[in-house]
Amino acid sequence: MPMPWFLLSLALGRSPVVLSLERLEGLQDAARCSPGLSCHLWDGDVVCLPGSIVSAPGPVLVPTSLQTELVRRCYQETDCDLCVRVAVHLAVHGHWEKPEDEEKLGRAADPEPEEPRNASLQAQVVLSFQAYPTARCVLLEVQVPAALVQPGQSVGSVVFDCFEAALGTEVQIWSYTQPRYQKELNLTRQLPALPWLSVTADGDNVHLVLDVSEEQSFGLSLYWNQVQGPVKPWWHRNLTGPQTIPLNQTDIVPCLCVQVWPLEPDSVRTSICPFTEDPRAHRNLWRAARLQLLPPRGWRLDAPCSLHAQATLCWQAPGRGPCQPLVPPLPRENVTVNMALEFPLLKGHPNLCVQVSSWEKLQLQECLWADSLGPLKDDMLLVEARGPQDNRSFCALEPSGCTPLLSRASTRAARLGEQLLQDLHSGQCLQLWDDDLGALWACPMDKYIHQRWVLVWLACLLFAAALFLLFLLKKDHVKAAARGRAALLLYSADDAGFERLVGALASALCQVPLRVAVDLWSRRELSAQGPLAWFHAQRRRTVQEGGLVVLIFSPGAVALCREWLQDAGPAPGAHGPHDAFAASLSCVLPDFLQGRAPGRYVGAYFDGLLHADAVPALFRAVPVFPLPSQLPAFLGSLQGPRGPRLGERAEQVARALQPALDSCLRPPGTAGMGRGMGPEAGDRT
């Protein structure tokens, strides 16, 4: 098909180097060889039959590499086609074994025997070319003189002119000899496409842009390029000049292709398929796919493009979770789109659905019989398995799996196993599928519906009992509220003086009244359970009772928090066996990092022992109170909004704290002997 040269120049670029393609005149193919070789091109194409690999009887010629070059084959001054020139490089393969091997190499018999090492070689080289929709095979005869025959050495090349191909197509080339002594060579090349056809995308807006001169007229076609079935044209226009054509985002699918050609006689049509690897196009393809029932037992998957998918039947029980695949006993089937397929069934059922999966991911599911046979039924699917000597076993398909009938499982099928078998043997069940290995039966459950009402009444009784239990728990909670709100104190045991200060705070809080838990009073439980288990139990109890966890910050506590926040964690063995604060950080930090701390935690620190800025920023998501300067607000947070007025209680707690706080503040030299209380700790905060 001739093509105007100005279009070919557009495809290959405006550079003089690109435009200087060699020009071939006429329609005849041709072959030429390297100096010293002789070659001949057979007339017409041959049949491509590579055959099996055979052993070389001696030195033979074999192709070693392929090279391609683009040239122009012109029929008139301005009508040219793009053509692919192929060069096959040859070498000598094998060694001489016997003089009579010359006969097997196809040489003409020499009346006078000569030394085989001085013999010439001859080979038949096949070139196979494929570029959709074209496929060709040509045969080249090559002869090498004896002087060039050196085993393992290259002898030159043979060049074929040429294979015609359209712009933008992918070409595949193979080369081998007849007979074939080695695996065939192959080469794939993508020819340039017309640069004036492009696709642009801006978000959901997709456009075809055709940049041509205002005088140029051309045809444009959009089509679905399906592997199975013929090409389906979708849109066609004859246009003139530059165009920008919008595409609907939902119409983009992987097989949507664009074909463009100049409106001239025998013009070359160029096609591109720009959406093959576009994830959006693949999503649109599955949205456009539809399952269709073809009575009586046929079905079809309709889609604009070919799909890699498998289909299987599944059983959808009403209101009981996902559809359960029937594999086995039924097989999975590869899906061919737009082609009628047959179900291996005897009868249809509304609960039978079709699942279509691609690469192990469920893409489509439809219950095709629901429209014709009505809504889903409360039927039980029985799976019959047949063994040797007419041995048969039955199980019922349930959400938990296939439950054997007459088993002791606590499922509906197991409880009704005997009745279901009687229904089956009395002909009350519908046979859906049957073969030598088993069968599928759908058994109605309508007559057992009264048992559902028994379960409903039982559920009502359980609900009433739960309400009564909730009332009792609420009553106990009210009693607990009268005793005071729960508070769990967590602190770092920096030294003995600080532990006495925390103990004084805990004792004073008990008089508020609050129900206080602190590790100072639970040494035996800590030793038996370990700090982490003890903290878990206390934290769960405190949160369930509506209490608060109090984080008491000190220089040592701040240092531990920073170690955890830097992903270092505490050094093994660095803390005592009763240090609940160090053990609790693995649970406390996630609550703060995930935003669960407000309403469950408050913070506190003692005036003179720690500055407010030393508290890590993460823990300021909850109120942090300095004590005793903000003791009323601290107690109000612990008591909650419904707590009594605490003015007098706050003064009592302050008086109880002051002696222990003064002992921690004096003398300064001895306060630093504990962990995290010296100048070093001060620097860290």
Side-chain angles (χ1 to χ4, degrees):
M1 293 179 292
M3 176 183 183
W5 171 237
F6 84 94
L7 289 182
L8 186 57
S9 67
L10 280 175
L12 301 176
R14 298 180 179 179
S15 168
V17 177
V18 177
L19 289 178
S20 60
L21 295 181
E22 182 177 342
R23 179 187 177 101
L24 303 180
E25 300 290 347
L27 301 174
Q28 295 298 320
D29 295 334
R32 66 180 187 275
C33 305
S34 300
L37 306 184
S38 61
C39 55
H40 169 69
L41 173 64
W42 279 35
D43 294 335
D45 290 356
V46 298
V47 179
C48 296
L49 294 174
S52 301
I53 296 177
V54 299
S55 299
V60 292
L61 286 179
V62 294
T64 58
S65 63
L66 296 173
Q67 285 184 322
T68 60
E69 179 185 0
L70 295 180
V71 296
R72 290 182 292 155
R73 170 172 280 174
C74 299
Y75 313 99
Q76 298 177 11
E77 183 63 26
T78 59
D79 289 340
C80 301
D81 273 345
L82 191 64
C83 212
V84 180
R85 171 182 288 166
V86 182
V88 184
H89 294 269
L90 302 170
V92 178
H93 173 73
H95 300 275
W96 292 107
E97 295 180 358
K98 297 179 182 180
E100 55 268 28
D101 287 347
E102 297 170 357
E103 295 292 329
K104 300 180 180 179
L105 292 174
R107 286 184 52 207
D110 197 334
E112 295 292 332
E114 60 180 0
E115 181 65 23
R117 295 181 181 274
N118 297 328
S120 62
L121 294 181
Q122 181 175 319
Q124 292 183 341
V125 179
V126 177
L127 278 178
S128 174
F129 177 86
Q130 289 189 5
Y132 182 82
T134 303
R136 292 187 59 193
C137 272
V138 297
L139 180 63
L140 305 168
E141 284 189 351
V142 184
Q143 189 165 5
V144 181
L148 297 180
V149 177
Q150 295 293 332
Q153 297 296 318
S154 175
V155 297
S157 61
V158 58
V159 179
F160 172 76
D161 286 328
C162 59
F163 294 114
E164 294 181 9
L167 291 166
T169 59
E170 181 182 80
V171 300
Q172 294 180 314
I173 304 170
W174 291 269
S175 179
Y176 52 89
T177 59
Q178 289 183 343
R180 188 160 63 99
Y181 302 112
Q182 64 180 20
K183 185 177 179 180
E184 63 266 21
L185 298 180
N186 65 80
L187 177 66
T188 301
R189 181 170 179 180
Q190 183 72 42
L191 300 188
L194 292 176
W196 40 267
L197 173 61
S198 61
V199 179
T200 64
D202 181 14
D204 291 338
N205 300 317
V206 182
H207 297 87
L208 290 177
V209 179
L210 295 104
D211 185 12
V212 299
S213 64
E214 294 183 358
E215 299 80 14
Q216 177 65 45
S217 297
F218 57 89
L220 176 67
S221 176
L222 301 178
Y223 64 95
W224 291 323
N225 184 28
Q226 292 188 336
V227 175
Q228 300 135 346
V231 171
K232 293 184 176 180
W234 174 48
W235 187 87
H236 171 78
R237 292 289 187 278
N238 291 334
L239 304 170
T240 301
Q243 297 283 340
T244 299
I245 302 171
L247 294 179
N248 192 336
Q249 190 269 342
T250 58
D251 292 334
I252 296 174
V253 291
C255 63
L256 179 61
C257 300
V258 186
Q259 189 175 78
V260 183
W261 65 96
L263 295 178
E264 298 179 3
D266 298 327
S267 59
V268 175
R269 296 196 176 203
T270 300
S271 298
I272 62 171
C273 301
F275 307 108
T276 305
E277 304 297 331
D278 191 336
R280 172 179 51 188
H282 286 273
R283 290 193 296 269
N284 289 340
L285 175 58
W286 280 110
R287 293 191 187 106
R290 294 291 181 269
L291 287 170
Q292 181 179 355
L293 181 65
L294 303 176
R297 293 186 301 274
W299 67 286
R300 184 176 65 219
L301 176 62
D302 294 328
C305 305
S306 300
L307 290 167
H308 175 83
Q310 289 185 322
T312 184
L313 286 173
C314 64
W315 179 263
Q316 179 65 68
R320 293 199 182 96
C323 196
Q324 295 175 275
L326 301 179
V327 178
L330 298 180
R332 293 187 184 273
E333 293 187 4
N334 293 325
V335 177
T336 302
V337 298
N338 306 323
M339 181 179 293
L341 301 172
E342 191 80 10
F343 287 118
L345 298 172
L346 300 177
K347 292 182 180 292
H349 192 280
N351 293 30
L352 284 173
C353 306
V354 179
Q355 288 182 337
V356 179
S357 304
S358 177
W359 307 111
E360 304 299 328
K361 180 181 180 181
L362 179 62
Q363 298 286 358
L364 285 177
Q365 176 180 310
E366 290 191 28
C367 301
L368 298 179
W369 285 276
D371 293 337
S372 59
L373 300 181
L376 300 180
K377 296 182 178 180
D378 191 19
D379 289 359
M380 184 70 69
L381 185 70
L382 301 186
V383 181
E384 176 185 353
R386 297 168 182 168
Q389 300 179 355
D390 201 25
N391 289 330
R392 300 194 300 171
S393 60
F394 295 90
C395 66
L397 195 64
E398 296 187 290
S400 58
C402 204
T403 305
L405 299 183
L406 307 179
S407 68
R408 297 182 179 180
S410 58
T411 65
R412 183 171 70 154
R415 291 192 298 270
L416 302 175
E418 292 185 1
Q419 294 94 317
L420 289 173
L421 284 177
Q422 292 176 2
D423 294 345
L424 176 65
H425 295 315
S426 61
Q428 300 182 40
C429 298
L430 177 67
Q431 188 175 30
L432 304 178
W433 171 77
D434 181 62
D435 75 352
D436 295 338
L437 299 179
L440 295 176
W441 305 83
C443 297
M445 302 293 287
D446 297 340
K447 62 181 179 181
Y448 305 112
I449 196 66
H450 67 278
Q451 297 186 9
R452 284 187 174 183
W453 290 108
V454 173
L455 295 176
V456 170
W457 283 109
L458 180 60
C460 292
L461 291 176
L462 289 176
F463 181 70
L467 287 178
F468 180 70
L469 180 61
L470 183 63
F471 172 76
L472 294 178
L473 292 176
K474 188 68 176 179
K475 184 178 180 181
D476 291 341
H477 181 70
V478 172
K479 291 182 178 179
R483 299 197 307 269
R485 198 178 184 189
L488 171 61
L489 306 187
L490 293 178
Y491 68 98
S492 173
D494 290 5
D495 57 18
F498 190 76
E499 285 192 301
R500 286 193 295 272
L501 178 58
V502 174
L505 175 63
S507 299
L509 293 179
C510 289
Q511 305 301 319
V512 170
L514 291 169
R515 291 181 292 113
V516 179
V518 63
D519 63 352
L520 280 171
W521 301 341
S522 306
R523 296 298 194 193
R524 182 175 298 176
E525 295 178 18
L526 278 170
S527 299
Q529 301 176 13
L532 186 60
W534 180 85
F535 166 74
H536 270 297
Q538 297 296 329
R539 174 182 171 277
R540 182 171 61 252
R541 183 182 307 162
T542 301
V543 173
Q544 288 177 349
E545 294 178 359
L548 289 174
V549 179
V550 182
L551 301 178
I552 301 177
F553 292 97
S554 65
V558 169
L560 280 173
C561 292
R562 289 183 175 174
E563 290 179 15
W564 277 92
L565 290 173
Q566 295 171 0
D567 294 333
H575 311 292
H578 307 306
D579 197 339
F581 187 87
S584 67
L585 283 179
S586 62
C587 300
V588 171
L589 285 177
D591 285 344
F592 281 84
L593 291 171
Q594 298 173 14
R596 299 193 302 262
R600 297 183 178 183
Y601 294 81
V602 296
Y605 62 92
F606 294 100
D607 294 323
L609 295 183
L610 191 71
H611 193 272
D613 294 339
V615 178
L618 175 66
F619 297 97
R620 298 176 195 168
V622 300
V624 180
F625 303 95
L627 303 180
S629 59
Q630 292 188 14
L631 196 55
F634 174 67
L635 295 179
S637 177
L638 294 183
Q639 278 288 79
R642 299 181 181 179
R645 297 185 180 275
L646 299 170
E648 184 178 354
R649 296 290 188 187
E651 295 178 1
Q652 295 176 358
V653 174
R655 288 195 298 269
L657 282 180
Q658 199 61 47
L661 180 59
D662 291 340
S663 68
C664 286
L665 295 174
R666 67 172 190 272
T670 60
M673 299 302 292
R675 168 170 49 91
M677 295 290 291
E680 229 177 358
D683 293 340
R684 295 169 68 181
T685 61

